[in-house]
Amino acid sequence: MEHQQEKKCLECGEKIKGRVDKKFCSDYCRNAYNNKLNKDSKNLVRNINNRLRKNYRVLDSFTLKDGKTRTTKTRLMDKGFDFEYITNLYTTKKGTTYYFVYDLGYLPLDNDYYMIVKRE
């Protein structure tokens, strides 16, 4: 039997027993190591997802008639809508651009009015 080099856990430095390709002594150490590694990007993603979720809830709070309704910029902002966060844009053949948060979107109209729509 060949002598293999003693491997140490990447998280705590304890000696590792078991498979040759093991990097951690336990699930706890593996999770702790990866959580530290991903912390910054995870926070960024979590914060953006929270903003998108909030925007979606705001758009979803308006009752739609025939798949659309009108509101004002002030009402959207009073409910906490953040115009910086959308998931995609949709431009019609005529060149009108709708801003979407998943399947709910809005179209800026004149005088700070907005039309809210739901994509079927």
Side-chain angles (χ1 to χ4, degrees):
M1 189 164 150
E2 67 190 71
H3 181 73
Q4 60 195 45
Q5 191 174 350
E6 200 173 275
K7 292 191 72 175
K8 294 195 182 321
C9 175
L10 291 178
E11 177 63 16
C12 72
E14 285 292 312
K15 196 168 85 171
I16 297 176
K17 295 181 177 77
R19 285 175 30 181
V20 183
D21 59 346
K22 265 178 91 169
K23 295 178 182 169
F24 305 98
C25 66
S26 65
D27 284 341
Y28 175 83
C29 278
R30 180 177 47 83
N31 287 328
Y33 180 88
N34 286 314
N35 285 343
K36 271 194 274 197
L37 200 64
N38 296 327
K39 195 169 109 189
D40 295 340
S41 62
K42 273 201 178 101
N43 281 340
L44 176 73
V45 170
R46 185 184 312 114
N47 291 338
I48 291 172
N49 284 339
N50 286 341
R51 291 298 329 155
L52 289 170
R53 196 175 297 116
K54 169 87 177 191
N55 276 357
Y56 189 84
R57 281 198 300 264
V58 170
L59 292 176
D60 202 33
S61 71
F62 292 92
T63 306
L64 304 183
K65 190 175 191 308
D66 299 323
K68 60 187 180 197
T69 190
R70 272 170 55 121
T71 189
T72 61
K73 183 172 190 169
T74 305
R75 277 188 66 199
L76 284 166
M77 290 174 76
D78 284 350
K79 290 182 176 222
F81 194 82
D82 186 336
F83 289 90
E84 295 283 309
Y85 294 91
I86 60 168
T87 56
N88 59 298
L89 299 171
Y90 173 73
T91 306
T92 65
K93 287 187 180 82
K94 291 179 184 169
T96 308
T97 300
Y98 287 81
Y99 300 80
F100 274 87
V101 181
Y102 305 113
D103 63 336
L104 292 172
Y106 61 89
L107 172 68
L109 305 169
D110 292 337
N111 303 320
D112 273 350
Y113 272 92
Y114 283 81
M115 181 164 62
I116 298 173
V117 298
K118 185 174 179 97
R119 194 176 342 190
E120 294 307 319

